[in-house]
Amino acid sequence: MLTDALARLGRSGIGAIAGIGRAHLLLVAVLGGLPALVTRPRLLLAQIYNVGVLSVLIIAVSGLFVGMVLGLQGYYVLSQFGAEESLGVMVAASLARELGPVVTALLVAGRAGSALTAEIGLMKATEQLSALEMMAVDPIRRILTPRFLGGFLAMPLLAAMFSTLGVLGGWFVGVGLLGVDDGAFWSQMQAKLDFREDVLNGVIKSLVFGVVVTWIALFQGYDATPTSAGVSRATTRSVVHAALAVLGLDFILTALMFGE
Amino acid sequence: MGTTRTTEILVGAFMAAGFLALFFLSMRVSNLSAGDGADGYALTARFDNIGSLKVRAPVSMAGVRLGRVEDIRFDADTYQAVVTLRIDGAYDRLPTDTFANIYTAGLLGEQYVALDPGGSQDYLGDGDQIEHTQSALVLEQMIGQFLFDKAQEGSE
């Protein structure tokens, strides 16, 4: 009885570690395809379109509303201390440092990551990947690498759009509706926010999230059990794992970047 | 062919919008446009106590920002704080007897260096030291002094 339980525990542990190993082998293979991609920019273009352009709408709308909510809530707290002028600092700092990269990564994981997993899982289930191999086309280089690079490049641009629209949303609520002084809103923001400390660190964060989210999505699709139930499980796992990885990594990155 | 062209245009617009947003964050939201780095000239000032003054705190005269605190060190011989101020190159006519104070912005705000102009005809240059300084006011010291004075009054 006891040995059975121990064996089950051991099996799941070995399974998890083997999965991590396969994920890293896949990452190495995907990165190995990068040089070959230079000669086929069309493939990359199509993937930036899939991950980036098609995500713009949800990113823009979410950014705007998150910024507007930040403006409302921030005003409510700050006005109790007579510090409404700091609303711009609060909105811009929380967007550039945390909310922009993190919420964008979560939205991209749900909007584009799940689609990547389902697409590749279905390619595997219908043996399109094997067919490519039969034609002496490396499926990792032809299918996975462009998707990986597309996600990596699109993520920081999407996060920047999110933060920008968020700041504008906060400005609309704070200055337009609640009557915070326009000059103080922008000048305090510029005085307190640092380019390297706040904006550049946010971009670095979203680059890391871009790698992690697309990597998990690609691995889950490539590693899926080639049945319809397997693809469905892989898609769920892709979103859950990506969200957990983003939130966990965000804590580590924040501690490294902003901890003194 | 038409769909490829459309994709290209849309991806181009997406990337342009992304870089525009990054540019907006850098220029409009952060302080990149406000002159950063090593332009301007450096002055040093010695304080007995700088309170909670931090690197990058503003340096202002008459309420206008002239530069920022670049470096804070401790002089082990005189037991003083040596503060390096980076002043914008446009403000190169500060008299040599300029007075440097550490004030607090608002009741609970951050501390900054305020300069008061003197009457000298000579101007401070790169690397010069501001001779006249006044330390930060530490609230506990002020309260202690106040209580001490009250006690003195009472005993007279």
Side-chain angles (χ1 to χ4, degrees), chain A:
Chain A
M1 255 345 217
L2 187 68
T3 48
D4 275 2
L6 267 179
R8 260 203 305 281
L9 185 66
R11 201 159 49 233
S12 62
I14 290 170
I17 291 172
I20 293 173
R22 282 201 304 280
H24 281 85
L25 287 176
L26 182 73
L27 182 66
V28 171
V30 165
L31 292 179
L34 284 181
L37 197 60
V38 177
T39 55
R40 310 285 303 273
R42 279 275 145 84
L43 292 175
L44 177 62
L45 205 73
Q47 293 314 317
I48 294 181
Y49 178 80
N50 274 343
V51 177
V53 177
L54 294 182
S55 304
V56 163
L57 186 67
I58 187 171
I59 292 290
V61 173
S62 320
L64 203 62
F65 278 103
V66 166
M68 283 161 70
V69 168
L70 273 179
L72 270 175
Q73 296 287 9
Y75 181 84
Y76 173 69
V77 175
L78 289 173
S79 62
Q80 296 186 348
F81 300 100
E84 300 96 296
E85 279 76 23
S86 299
L87 188 66
V89 185
M90 204 206 88
V91 170
S94 44
L95 278 168
R97 284 178 165 199
E98 296 291 341
L99 290 174
V102 172
V103 178
T104 304
L106 294 178
L107 289 174
V108 168
R111 158 68 191 74
S114 56
L116 283 181
T117 306
E119 187 186 17
I120 292 166
L122 215 63
M123 279 183 179
K124 193 182 176 190
T126 53
E127 309 204 353
Q128 294 178 44
L129 295 183
S130 313
L132 277 177
E133 247 171 314
M134 296 266 288
M135 294 187 286
V137 177
D138 184 349
I140 291 182
R141 295 191 173 186
R142 182 69 171 71
I143 304 291
L144 297 195
T145 305
R147 283 163 175 74
F148 180 78
L149 193 63
F152 174 74
L153 292 177
M155 189 72 89
L157 298 178
L158 288 170
M161 289 180 201
F162 185 97
S163 299
T164 300
L165 282 165
V167 169
L168 292 178
W171 172 81
F172 172 71
V173 168
V175 176
L177 300 182
L178 297 171
V180 174
D181 182 56
D182 188 35
F185 185 89
W186 292 109
S187 68
Q188 289 233 6
M189 190 191 296
Q190 286 178 4
K192 291 282 163 58
L193 257 71
D194 185 42
F195 174 68
R196 234 166 310 163
E197 181 95 337
D198 297 311
V199 176
L200 214 58
N201 275 343
V203 173
I204 292 172
K205 264 188 184 177
S206 58
L207 282 173
V208 173
F209 295 160
V211 171
V212 170
V213 167
T214 40
W215 179 21
I216 289 175
L218 293 180
F219 172 69
Q220 291 297 349
Y222 196 71
D223 206 51
T225 317
T227 59
S228 37
V231 172
S232 136
R233 262 203 310 278
T235 312
T236 310
R237 257 206 315 268
S238 163
V239 176
V240 172
H241 286 192
L244 291 177
V246 164
L247 294 171
L249 267 175
D250 181 54
F251 174 72
I252 297 172
L253 286 172
T254 301
L256 284 178
M257 285 168 175
F258 304 115
E260 282 182 85

Side-chain angles (χ1 to χ4, degrees), chain A residues 42 45 48-49 52-53 56 92 154 157-158 160-161 163-164 168 186 189-190 192-196 199 203, chain B residues 1 4 7-8 10-11 14-15 17-19 21-22 24-33 36 56 110:
Chain A
R42 279 275 145 84
L45 205 73
I48 294 181
Y49 178 80
V53 177
V56 163
L157 298 178
L158 288 170
M161 289 180 201
S163 299
T164 300
L168 292 178
W186 292 109
M189 190 191 296
Q190 286 178 4
K192 291 282 163 58
L193 257 71
D194 185 42
F195 174 68
R196 234 166 310 163
V199 176
V203 173
Chain B
M1 206 58 208
T4 328
T7 310
E8 277 175 357
L10 284 172
V11 170
F14 165 71
M15 297 192 76
F19 284 117
L22 271 179
F24 174 86
L25 283 179
S26 318
M27 289 303 171
R28 194 86 171 99
V29 172
S30 82
N31 57 355
L32 194 65
S33 56
D36 202 41
R56 295 188 53 80
E110 60 172 339

